[in-house]
């Protein structure tokens, strides 16, 4: 009897874990699409684009939470004549040229350490770490009852000479750390 | 009243109004068609512009799955009351956001259709792709608008058009009423004149001329015609009067002549009746006298014979001679009385008409004559096949008298010859008896047929003078005519018709 109860409990736990995994997979998929979509609503300064056919690089710093989703999403896609490319970095120093950078939780626990090192470089920084936008990050994914919301810090983007479309701003929560 | 019986004024007015109305209607129809088409185009263009704007604004909502934002965006369409539905589909074709909140009232396509704007089921619908410039497609916007805007505008312009049409038609009507006069006035004047001419027979009236156009020429021609008719009429009337005068004169003369003739006729009738009465009386008298004379005559003859037979011995030669003369005279008188009775019978007898073979009759008479006097050699030439209609008995008497006459008057001729035939006379057939006997002097020709009229003495040729009178009576009773030609010692020819 006790065994049965244990088995049932175990089964329940397993089911819960499986459901969470599915939810995570869907969340990662949505975030991957969002990352890809950012390229359409952000303009980079001319010096950030070496030539019209240079690849548009989406970088992941730290552990990759997307699995194959991001690669599948950008495969064969272009922005104008520029193809999308996904790069994975372990350390900030590895980042040479990058357009959109997702800072994984594994790396993003210390944004204060990472962000200053990217300061003034035309890289759109994205993370789902708590208070990322308030602490100088540009876009943060906020999970709100299974929906993904955006927090954007336009000042940070401005400082990096990135122009974020007003359309994007309209669907996001604007964060102004300086209280301006 | 059929159209062709309308007065010319109404016809002209109606024509002008119909033409201008038709032109206006066609113009209005063309304009309305163009307006309808261009209104639809404009509505479609407006909806497509609106669709493009909304699509451009909804890219981020679709890209970042912000359906609240999308709904808010779509709800701005509330300002346009003609938009009945709007839907945003994500790139997989699922409904992402819809306007109004409850779109179930409207049939909204479950999945986007082909891109573009079109009219469907009384609505203008459009599928507008949603994508950020030069990038991959994010979804589709569906818009549906009713066409009330088009219809409202169309209705308004329809009302205006009708008002314009009414005013224009009224103007055309009023104008045509004024203008038609230039054509109808001279025609009406002509018609009025023609009517006056035909009802009053008054050719002295003239149509008044109102212009130098074709109608003016027509009026001139009409007036000229009237003038000519008037002249001819006058001439006709004059000749008619003359004719009437002649006719009256003629009538009067005919009447006079008729009256005269009537009078003459009347007197003739009276004469004829008198004559007839006298004749009948005379006939009756002759008959009774003849009849009554026979008895004493027989006595005279009878007693004279007794005297001669029984007392001849007591009489001398002169006495016997006298008695012979008495007998001869009384016998002649008997013959005379017989002839007279025959003549009277001829006059009284009733005529029974039939076809009579005259040639056969003549042959019979000739044979009879030869039998009675076989010592005489007379040549008879009788034409065959002569026939006539008449009373056989009377015609026999007539022919007998004529042939016997010829037989008698050829007695002193060396080669006596008697002929019976027919000749053509006055366009008809006449029968003829000809001999080569003693003949007669033509100056006595009219006396031949009188009773007791004789041209020869009884010593020369015996006879009573009644035969030819009897013949004439018979021929006359048949409605025919008899006449004779001849010369002394040259023979005689008697002609008669029936």
């Amino acid at each position: 009897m006790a065994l049965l109860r244990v088995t049932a409990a175990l089964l329940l736990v397993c089911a819960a874990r499986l459901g969470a995994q599915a939810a995570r997979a869907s969340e990662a998929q949505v975030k991957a699409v969002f990352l890809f979509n950012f390229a359409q609503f952000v303009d980079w300064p001319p010096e950030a684009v070496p030539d019209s056919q240079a690849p548009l690089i989406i970088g992941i710093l730290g552990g990759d939470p997307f699995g194959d989703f991001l690669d599948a999403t950008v495969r064969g896609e272009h922005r104008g004549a520029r193809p999308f490319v996904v790069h994975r970095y372990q350390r900030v120093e590895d980042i040479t040229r990058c357009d959109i950078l997702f800072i994984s939780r594994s790396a993003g626990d210390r944004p204060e350490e990472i962000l200053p090192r990217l300061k003034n470089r035309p890289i759109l920084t994205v993370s789902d770490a708590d208070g990322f936008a308030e602490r100088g990050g540009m876009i943060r994914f906020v999970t709100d009852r299974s929906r993904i919301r955006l927090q954007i810090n336009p000042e940070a983007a401005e400082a990096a000479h990135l122009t974020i479309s007003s359309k994007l701003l309209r669907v996001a929560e604007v964060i102004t750390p300086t209280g301006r | 009243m059929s159209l062709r019986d309308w007065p010319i004024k109404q016809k002209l007015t109606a024509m002008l109004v119909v033409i201008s109305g038709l032109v206006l209607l066609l113009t209005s129809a063309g304009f309305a068609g163009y307006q309808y088409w261009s209104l639809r185009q404009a509505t479609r263009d407006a909806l497509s512009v609106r669709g493009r704007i909304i699509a451009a604004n909804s890219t981020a909502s679709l890209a970042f799955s912000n359906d609240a934002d999308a709904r808010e965006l779509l709800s701005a369409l509330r300002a346009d009351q003609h938009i009945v539905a709007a839907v945003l589909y994500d790139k997989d074709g699922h409904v992402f956001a819809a306007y109004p909140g409850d779109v179930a009232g409207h049939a909204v396509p479950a999945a986007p259709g082909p891109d573009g704007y079109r009219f469907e089921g009384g609505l203008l619908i459009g599928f507008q792709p949603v994508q950020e410039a030069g990038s991959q497609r994010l979804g589709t916007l569906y818009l549906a608008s009713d066409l009330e805007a088009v219809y409202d505008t169309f209705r308004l312009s329809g009302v205006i058009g009708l008002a314009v049409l009414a005013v224009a038609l009224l103007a055309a009507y009023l104008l045509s009423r004024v203008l038609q006069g230039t054509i109808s006035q001279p025609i009406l004047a002509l018609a009025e004149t023609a009517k006056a001419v035909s009802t009053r027979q008054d050719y002295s009236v003239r149509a008044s001329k109102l212009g130098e156009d074709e109608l003016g020429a027509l009026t001139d021609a009409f007036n000229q015609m009237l003038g000519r008719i008037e002249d001819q009429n006058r001439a006709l009337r004059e000749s008619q009067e003359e004719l009437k005068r002649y006719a009256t004169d003629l009538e009067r003369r005919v009447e006079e002549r008729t009256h005269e003739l009537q009078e003459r006729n009347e007197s003739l009738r009276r004469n004829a009746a008198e004559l007839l009465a006298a004749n009948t009386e005379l006939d009756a008298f002759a008959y009774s006298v003849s009849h009554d004379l026979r008895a004493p005559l027989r006595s005279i003859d009878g007693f004279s014979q007794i005297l001669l037979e029984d007392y001849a011995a007591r009489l001398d030669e002169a006495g016997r001679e006298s008695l012979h003369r008495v007998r001869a005279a009384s016998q002649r008188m008997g013959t005379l009385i017989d002839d007279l009775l025959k003549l009277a019978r001829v006059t009284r007898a009733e005529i029974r008409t039939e076809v009579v073979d005259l040639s056969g009759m003549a042959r019979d008479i000739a044979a009879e004559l030869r039998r009675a006097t076989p010592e005489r050699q007379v040549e008879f030439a009788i034409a065959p096949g002569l026939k006539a209609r008449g009373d056989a008995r009377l015609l026999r008497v007539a022919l007998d008298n004529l042939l016997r006459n010829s037989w008698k008057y050829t007695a002193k001729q060396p080669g006596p010859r008697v002929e019976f035939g027919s000749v053509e006379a006055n366009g008809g057939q006449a029968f003829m008896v000809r001999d080569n006997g003693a003949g007669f002097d033509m100056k006595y020709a009219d006396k031949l047929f009188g009773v007791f009229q004789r041209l020869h003495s009884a010593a020369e040729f015996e006879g009573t003078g009644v035969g030819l009178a009897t013949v004439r009576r018979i021929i006359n009773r048949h409605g025919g005519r008899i006449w004779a030609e001849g010369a002394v010692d040259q023979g005689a020819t008697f002609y008669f018709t029936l």
Side-chain angles (χ1 to χ4, degrees), chain B residues 413-464:
Chain B
Q413 205 63 25
R417 189 171 189 274
V418 177
E419 198 181 326
F420 174 63
S422 83
V423 292
E424 200 76 12
N426 301 330
Q429 192 186 32
F431 300 100
M432 154 201 101
V433 175
R434 177 180 288 155
D435 62 67
N436 56 353
F440 61 91
D441 190 339
M442 275 303 275
K443 66 183 171 193
Y444 303 119
D446 55 334
K447 292 194 169 177
L448 277 175
F449 302 102
V451 184
F452 305 132
Q453 297 284 341
R454 301 209 63 217
L455 302 184
H456 303 271
S457 66
E460 233 178 323
F461 295 104
E462 57 176 32
T464 55

Side-chain angles (χ1 to χ4, degrees), chain B residues 183-459:
Chain B
I183 292 172
S184 69
Q185 222 50 55
I187 295 178
L188 289 180
L190 266 179
E192 199 58 44
T193 312
K195 201 168 156 194
V197 167
S198 67
T199 53
R200 284 186 275 133
Q201 312 285 314
D202 179 4
Y203 296 101
S204 64
V205 295
R206 291 291 180 270
S208 51
K209 190 174 165 185
L210 295 172
E212 285 299 334
D213 57 356
E214 290 88 337
L215 287 169
L218 183 64
T219 310
D220 280 344
F222 184 69
N223 284 339
Q224 267 174 23
M225 196 173 76
L226 279 180
R228 212 163 301 152
I229 289 175
E230 200 181 5
D231 290 347
Q232 284 175 357
N233 234 22
R234 198 178 304 121
L236 200 67
R237 214 165 21 238
E238 279 165 12
S239 55
Q240 257 173 358
E241 267 159 29
E242 206 167 323
L243 266 177
K244 209 181 281 173
R245 267 200 307 281
Y246 280 134
T248 316
D249 191 38
L250 206 64
E251 226 166 84
R252 192 177 46 74
R253 270 153 65 178
V254 165
E255 213 167 294
E256 278 172 17
R257 205 56 64 80
T258 308
H259 190 67
E260 227 170 88
L261 273 174
Q262 265 171 352
E263 277 177 356
R264 219 172 277 177
N265 253 3
E266 192 58 38
S267 77
L268 269 178
R269 202 161 34 241
R270 262 200 310 278
N271 285 354
E274 276 165 24
L275 217 58
L276 194 67
N279 240 11
T280 313
E281 216 170 298
L282 198 68
D283 280 345
F285 173 73
Y287 184 79
S288 61
V289 163
S290 306
H291 199 264
D292 292 348
L293 281 177
R294 264 162 78 174
L297 199 61
R298 256 200 304 277
S299 297
I300 293 170
D301 187 40
F303 284 109
S304 300
Q305 195 179 356
I306 290 168
L307 270 178
L308 274 176
E309 284 172 4
D310 296 354
Y311 301 94
R314 297 186 212 171
L315 294 174
D316 59 5
E317 192 57 30
R320 279 197 296 272
E321 180 60 33
S322 298
L323 275 177
H324 276 296
R325 285 197 181 182
V326 167
R327 277 205 71 191
S330 64
Q331 276 166 10
R332 213 169 70 239
M333 192 170 171
T335 316
L336 195 65
I337 288 168
D338 280 352
D339 284 354
L340 278 173
L341 280 174
K342 229 184 271 173
L343 178 66
R345 263 204 297 278
V346 163
T347 312
R348 291 165 161 209
E350 203 179 308
I351 287 188
R352 285 196 302 274
T353 306
E354 58 188 307
V355 175
V356 180
D357 177 12
L358 292 179
S359 297
M361 205 176 259
R363 276 195 296 272
D364 288 350
I365 295 165
E368 209 171 281
L369 288 170
R370 279 203 196 96
R371 259 200 313 279
T373 326
E375 65 275 12
R376 278 201 62 192
Q377 294 295 319
V378 178
E379 184 193 351
F380 277 98
I382 296 167
L386 296 179
K387 288 183 169 62
R389 285 188 68 80
D391 188 293
R393 204 168 46 79
L394 291 180
L395 285 179
R396 166 97 192 200
V397 171
L399 204 54
D400 184 79
N401 267 308
L402 285 172
L403 288 172
R404 203 175 286 276
N405 208 43
S406 290
W407 175 274
K408 185 165 70 187
Y409 287 102
T410 49
K412 292 172 179 169
Q413 205 63 25
R417 189 171 189 274
V418 177
E419 198 181 326
F420 174 63
S422 83
V423 292
E424 200 76 12
N426 301 330
Q429 192 186 32
F431 300 100
M432 154 201 101
V433 175
R434 177 180 288 155
D435 62 67
N436 56 353
F440 61 91
D441 190 339
M442 275 303 275
K443 66 183 171 193
Y444 303 119
D446 55 334
K447 292 194 169 177
L448 277 175
F449 302 102
V451 184
F452 305 132
Q453 297 284 341
R454 301 209 63 217
L455 302 184
H456 303 271
S457 66

Side-chain angles (χ1 to χ4, degrees), chain A residues 30 33-38 40-41 73 77-80 147-150 165 167-168 170-172, chain B residues 55-69 71 73 91 131-132 134-136 138:
Chain A
V30 171
V33 171
F34 278 20
L35 272 181
F36 164 71
N37 280 346
F38 284 143
Q40 299 175 45
F41 294 94
T73 302
E77 297 288 351
H78 289 77
R79 184 186 196 265
R147 282 170 179 271
I148 313 292
R149 300 261 169 259
L150 301 175
S165 160
K167 294 181 199 167
L168 179 50
R170 210 184 57 225
V171 299
Chain B
N57 281 327
S58 56
T59 46
S61 312
L62 276 170
F64 303 105
S65 302
N66 196 326
D67 51 349
D69 184 65
R71 268 196 297 277
L73 210 89
K91 67 178 173 210
Q131 67 192 128
E132 215 24 55
S135 305
Q136 151 201 61
L138 295 167

Side-chain angles (χ1 to χ4, degrees), chain A residues 18 30 35 37 39 49 51 62 67 69 74 78-81 97-98 113 130 133-134 139 144 151 158 161 167:
Chain A
L18 275 171
V30 171
L35 272 181
N37 280 346
V49 186
D51 61 81
F69 291 139
V74 306
H78 289 77
R79 184 186 196 265
R97 204 181 70 76
C98 180
E113 293 170 26
D130 293 339
E134 287 87 346
I139 300 177
D144 170 24
Q151 285 186 337
E158 232 171 275
H161 302 290
K167 294 181 199 167

Side-chain angles (χ1 to χ4, degrees), chain B residues 127-188:
Chain B
F127 290 99
Q128 171 76 44
V130 179
Q131 67 192 128
E132 215 24 55
S135 305
Q136 151 201 61
R137 185 169 182 152
L138 295 167
T140 305
L141 171 68
Y142 164 78
L143 285 176
S145 165
D146 63 27
L147 294 172
E148 284 308 313
V150 175
Y151 296 142
D152 283 348
T153 317
F154 202 62
R155 264 194 290 273
L156 182 64
S157 44
V159 168
I160 293 171
L162 280 178
V164 168
L165 192 69
V167 170
L169 277 181
L170 185 67
Y173 174 70
L174 293 175
L175 208 59
S176 67
R177 274 186 67 110
V178 176
L179 291 180
Q180 53 85 18
T182 57
I183 292 172
S184 69
Q185 222 50 55
I187 295 178
L188 289 180

